[in-house]
Amino acid sequence: YWRIMELDKAISDLTIAARLNPEDLTILFNRALMYQQKGMYKEALADCDYALKHDQDGIYTPEGNFIRADLYFDMENYELAVKEAKKTVKAVPTHYKALMTIGNSYLKLENYNKAVQWYTSVLKHHPDYFLVYVKRGLTYSFKGDYKNAISDFTLAIELHNPNDEVACLHCIY
């Protein structure tokens, strides 16, 4: 249902699945993602909190913390987004989405030096990820460092796949 954006139906089915199989914490994380899509952040955080509390083996904790980071970013609480994303990075240092969330949060907080630092961390693990060059280039331009901004924008253009419309949309916002 998520792919066809029938989020209410997805939430309903996931609620039934959670009742039938309360041990499967992935159900709650998936329902949290549906709530996030609907802008129902309180409900999404409640599902994440419950699942993380019951993740006895810590198997889902890094991804659960990332979902929380993403929720806080959407809620424009960038400090908490950084805090949660750093928990994910501590467990999974190559988690590029968490690294990007930290960089994006610092960009929103106008802490450009830290944003550059975290975007650079992404590139250590994913040097061909063109969107990072766009974001870091944008950050450099905000700092007035146009030489590095131009360098990053040039690399982004070289790496960019013009057929990747989703990535293009991410560059815009």
Side-chain angles (χ1 to χ4, degrees):
Y1 292 111
W2 171 74
R3 294 240 183 243
I4 58 173
M5 296 308 289
E6 289 190 26
L7 302 175
D8 290 327
K9 181 68 174 151
I11 290 168
S12 176
D13 284 359
L14 287 165
T15 300
I16 293 167
R19 270 191 241 119
L20 295 173
N21 191 1
E23 302 297 317
D24 187 350
L25 302 178
T26 62
I27 296 168
L28 294 176
F29 289 125
N30 283 317
R31 188 171 66 181
L33 293 171
M34 300 305 107
Y35 283 136
Q36 180 181 20
Q37 290 290 312
K38 290 183 58 87
M40 299 172 67
Y41 303 119
K42 180 180 174 184
E43 293 83 354
L45 285 169
D47 274 358
C48 285
D49 289 346
Y50 181 88
L52 287 168
K53 181 179 175 183
H54 292 87
D55 184 15
Q56 301 300 326
D57 299 326
I59 295 170
Y60 305 109
T61 298
E63 195 60 28
N65 287 331
F66 172 70
I67 294 169
R68 286 175 52 83
D70 200 37
L71 288 164
Y72 285 127
F73 187 87
D74 286 355
M75 296 166 64
E76 300 180 6
N77 189 334
Y78 304 117
E79 292 88 356
L80 282 177
V82 167
K83 180 181 175 184
E84 292 299 320
K86 282 183 176 180
K87 290 178 186 177
T88 298
V89 170
K90 184 176 181 182
V92 185
T94 60
H95 196 292
Y96 79 94
K97 290 180 182 179
L99 293 165
M100 282 295 287
T101 297
I102 296 168
N104 291 339
S105 295
Y106 282 127
L107 179 60
K108 291 285 191 176
L109 292 167
E110 299 180 4
N111 188 332
Y112 302 130
N113 290 330
K114 284 191 177 184
V116 166
Q117 172 191 347
W118 285 95
Y119 290 140
T120 302
S121 295
V122 177
L123 293 171
K124 288 177 186 173
H125 305 290
H126 305 280
D128 296 332
Y129 189 26
F130 91 96
L131 180 57
V132 183
Y133 291 102
V134 172
K135 292 287 194 164
R136 192 173 71 174
L138 183 64
T139 306
Y140 279 133
S141 71
F142 289 151
K143 290 177 58 168
D145 184 350
Y146 301 114
K147 182 180 177 184
N148 279 321
I150 290 168
S151 176
D152 274 2
F153 291 142
T154 301
L155 283 167
I157 291 166
E158 291 172 5
L159 292 170
H160 172 62
N161 175 357
N163 296 321
D164 189 351
E165 292 178 30
V166 172
C168 289
L169 291 174
H170 283 286
C171 287
I172 295 168
Y173 84 94

